[in-house]
């Protein structure tokens, strides 16, 4: 009788999770457009993938964009969390909500707003630069500018989310530690670097892992802001999988890209845990 009650979960899991996972792995060894006959080609997709410059570029883009925004975003999130965790700060609830709102705002609408901000001719950012006597910058037309635009949008969107996670972590730090540091003559900055950051390492690692997966999984932001350009400098693995599967209908090749991407994410996450453990010892 118990099996009847738990069977809906296993049925839904099998249909929408397990079956697609196995099927995508099977067709990664084939050539298939999603409609016609499946043609088995063995490891040809994986061999081609090793030589695929665009896929390699997408991995490099993920690494570069990660270092462009994640360290700064997590540091700002921790600083804001420390400030808004202080009972002496007035309207803490208002500020927490305001900073978190971007995370629940429509990313499509926000992407169009950022596209206007970084527009070469009529963008707000170039209007400010022109007032300072600086020539307009083609933000979305150059590799560095496009990456800055994508990184700015992602930072704006996910800063509040990480701040909430940091706030949750700060609740577990005993106030007695800060009181003892204050008695010993330590100021706020010294307490922040000597007490807060060391004790927040598990939360910071958790946020870093989420940010790593999120960075390589970026889709909407680069899709709407740059389309993956210029010269594929903002294309991400997920955007590349979308292009290969739904634009070029190379379902088999897209599946092989997805599985290599999964392996790389697993390796990156494992390395982050190992690095954090070695730094804590």
């Amino acid at each position: 009788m118990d099996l009847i009650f738990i069977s809906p979960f296993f049925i839904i899991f099998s249909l929408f999770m397990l079956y697609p996972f196995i099927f995508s792995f099977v067709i990664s060894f084939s050539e298939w457009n999603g409609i016609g006959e499946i043609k088995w080609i063995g490891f040809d997709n994986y061999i081609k993938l090793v030589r695929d410059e665009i896929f390699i570029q997408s991995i490099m883009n993920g690494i570069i964009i990660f270092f462009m925004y994640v360290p700064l975003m997590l540091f700002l999130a921790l600083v804001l969390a420390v400030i808004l965790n202080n009972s002496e700060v007035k309207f803490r609830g208002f500020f927490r909500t305001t900073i978190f709102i971007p995370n629940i705002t429509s990313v499509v609408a926000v992407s169009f707003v950022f596209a206007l901000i970084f527009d070469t001719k009529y963008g707000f950012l170039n209007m400010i630069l022109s007032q300072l006597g600086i020539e307009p910058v083609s933000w979305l037309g150059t590799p560095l500018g496009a990456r800055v635009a994508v990184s700015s949008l992602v930072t704006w969107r996910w800063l509040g989310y990480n701040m909430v996670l940091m706030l949750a972590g700060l609740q577990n730090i005993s106030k007695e530690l800060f009181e003892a540091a204050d008695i010993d003559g330590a100021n706020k900055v010294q307490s922040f670097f000597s007490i807060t950051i060391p004790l927040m390492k598990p939360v910071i690692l958790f946020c870093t892992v989420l940010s790593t997966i999120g960075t390589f999984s970026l889709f909407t932001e680069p899709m709407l802001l740059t389309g993956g350009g210029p010269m594929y400098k903002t294309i991400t693995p997920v955007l590349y999988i979308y292009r290969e599967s739904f634009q070029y209908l190379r379902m088999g090749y897209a599946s092989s890209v997805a599985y290599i991407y999964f392996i790389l994410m697993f390796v990156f996450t494992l390395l982050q845990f190992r690095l954090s453990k070695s730094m804590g010892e």
Side-chain angles (χ1 to χ4, degrees):
M1 182 62 84
D2 293 339
L3 293 176
I4 296 177
F5 290 103
I6 65 175
S7 61
F9 166 78
F10 289 102
I11 293 172
I12 294 174
F13 176 80
S14 299
L15 287 176
F16 297 102
M17 295 291 291
L18 185 60
Y19 173 73
F21 183 83
I22 296 174
F23 182 72
S24 63
F25 178 73
V26 172
I27 65 172
S28 70
F29 298 96
S30 70
E31 188 177 284
W32 186 47
N33 62 4
I35 300 175
E37 182 183 354
I38 299 176
K39 179 183 177 182
W40 303 106
I41 57 175
F43 289 92
D44 288 359
N45 283 332
Y46 291 95
I47 295 173
K48 178 184 176 182
L49 187 60
V50 176
R51 305 168 185 170
D52 191 338
E53 294 182 359
I54 301 178
F55 173 70
I56 296 174
Q57 181 65 61
S58 71
I59 298 298
M60 293 302 300
N61 292 338
I63 296 173
I64 293 171
I65 294 174
F66 174 87
F67 284 105
M68 286 183 69
Y69 86 94
V70 171
L72 176 62
M73 179 187 68
L74 295 184
F75 180 76
L76 290 176
L78 182 57
V79 171
L80 288 172
V82 171
I83 294 174
L84 296 180
N85 191 50
N86 191 338
S87 58
E88 297 179 1
V89 176
K90 296 182 179 180
F91 307 109
R92 288 188 300 164
F94 171 78
F95 288 116
R96 290 176 181 178
T97 303
T98 303
I99 297 172
F100 183 76
I101 282 178
N103 185 251
I104 57 175
T105 305
S106 171
V107 65
V108 176
V110 173
S111 296
F112 282 113
V113 172
F114 269 74
L116 292 174
I117 293 175
F118 286 95
D119 184 75
T120 304
K121 292 184 179 180
Y122 309 106
F124 178 73
L125 194 55
N126 276 339
M127 288 178 59
I128 296 177
L129 293 178
S130 64
Q131 296 297 320
L132 299 175
I134 302 175
E135 292 293 325
V137 178
S138 179
W139 293 102
L140 303 179
T142 59
L144 179 59
R147 286 168 174 166
V148 169
V150 172
S151 299
S152 300
L153 173 53
V154 178
T155 301
W156 181 85
R157 185 185 178 202
W158 291 101
L159 177 63
Y161 177 82
N162 286 280
M163 181 201 70
V164 170
L165 295 178
M166 299 289 187
L167 274 169
L170 289 172
Q171 306 300 317
N172 296 320
I173 299 179
S174 175
K175 294 182 179 180
E176 295 177 355
L177 294 174
F178 296 100
E179 293 173 356
D182 186 54
I183 293 174
D184 290 338
N187 55 38
K188 298 293 183 181
V189 176
Q190 291 173 328
S191 297
F192 177 77
F193 285 100
S194 300
I195 298 175
T196 304
I197 291 182
L199 294 179
M200 285 288 290
K201 278 185 178 180
V203 180
I204 294 173
L205 174 63
F206 178 72
C207 292
T208 303
V209 172
L210 289 183
S211 298
T212 302
I213 298 173
T215 301
F216 284 88
S217 301
L218 286 175
F219 176 78
T220 308
E221 294 89 341
M223 179 70 175
L224 295 179
L225 273 181
T226 63
M231 298 179 290
Y232 302 108
K233 296 301 183 181
T234 57
I235 193 170
T236 60
V238 172
L239 185 56
Y240 185 55
I241 292 170
Y242 166 80
R243 193 189 76 160
E244 290 296 313
S245 57
F246 296 105
Q247 290 186 350
Y248 300 138
L249 299 179
R250 294 196 280 254
M251 299 295 178
Y253 186 66
S255 295
S256 65
V257 174
Y259 271 90
I260 294 298
Y261 167 64
F262 167 75
I263 294 172
L264 288 175
M265 287 301 94
F266 179 80
V267 172
F268 285 159
T269 303
L270 184 62
L271 288 176
Q272 286 177 332
F273 276 106
R274 295 275 185 174
L275 180 62
S276 176
K277 183 177 180 181
S278 63
M279 291 176 62
E281 293 177 352

